[in-house]
Amino acid sequence: MPFEDTIRYSVYRAYGEADWETQFPSGGGVVHLGTDNRTFAVSMFHQLHCLGRIRSAISTNAGASPEVEHCFNYLRQMMLCQADVALEPVVADEFAVGDFLNVHTCKDWSAVYREVEKVVTVDS
């Protein structure tokens, strides 16, 4: 999958929470599975949710709430868990964002959306 090099979801863009929320499938990335209809959050969407909470706290100068603290810790753990050791070029003490594609292979995140939508549709 191609890396999405966009500023659309930047902290300081004019877009509000409604625009940020367009990244989520029906149900917000939460699915209900099994005969007892257990609730699960798909990790990718939990991570995006957390990034959104941190983004909101920064853009509104709200500071760290217990949820934002949870999100920092959760995202830190996910980065350690995934441990991507690709070497990224650094030019003049700045990360070379344009070279991201040369060193990373993205997973097919669109397949995650499709599968979550299937589960949400079945449960609805």
Side-chain angles (χ1 to χ4, degrees), residues 32-93:
H32 305 279
L33 302 173
T35 56
D36 55 353
N37 216 25
R38 289 183 60 198
T39 303
F40 297 91
V42 176
S43 186
M44 181 180 87
F45 297 114
H46 185 183
Q47 292 167 29
L48 283 170
H49 165 81
C50 274
L51 189 59
R53 292 300 162 253
I54 294 168
R55 173 188 168 274
S56 181
I58 291 169
S59 66
T60 62
N61 291 318
S65 66
E67 184 180 25
V68 169
E69 291 292 334
H70 154 79
C71 285
F72 269 115
N73 190 43
Y74 176 69
L75 292 174
R76 179 188 63 82
Q77 289 178 36
M78 290 299 96
M79 288 175 206
L80 291 171
C81 179
Q82 297 301 318
D84 186 346
V85 295
L87 298 175
E88 298 175 338
V90 177
V91 179
D93 296 326

Side-chain angles (χ1 to χ4, degrees), residues 62-123:
S65 66
E67 184 180 25
V68 169
E69 291 292 334
H70 154 79
C71 285
F72 269 115
N73 190 43
Y74 176 69
L75 292 174
R76 179 188 63 82
Q77 289 178 36
M78 290 299 96
M79 288 175 206
L80 291 171
C81 179
Q82 297 301 318
D84 186 346
V85 295
L87 298 175
E88 298 175 338
V90 177
V91 179
D93 296 326
E94 295 290 330
F95 291 106
V97 176
D99 289 334
F100 185 89
L101 289 176
N102 296 327
V103 295
H104 295 276
T105 302
C106 294
K107 295 178 181 173
D108 186 358
W109 48 263
S110 65
V112 178
Y113 282 88
R114 286 191 302 275
E115 292 304 312
V116 168
E117 288 289 355
K118 284 181 191 176
V119 172
V120 171
T121 301
V122 169
D123 289 342

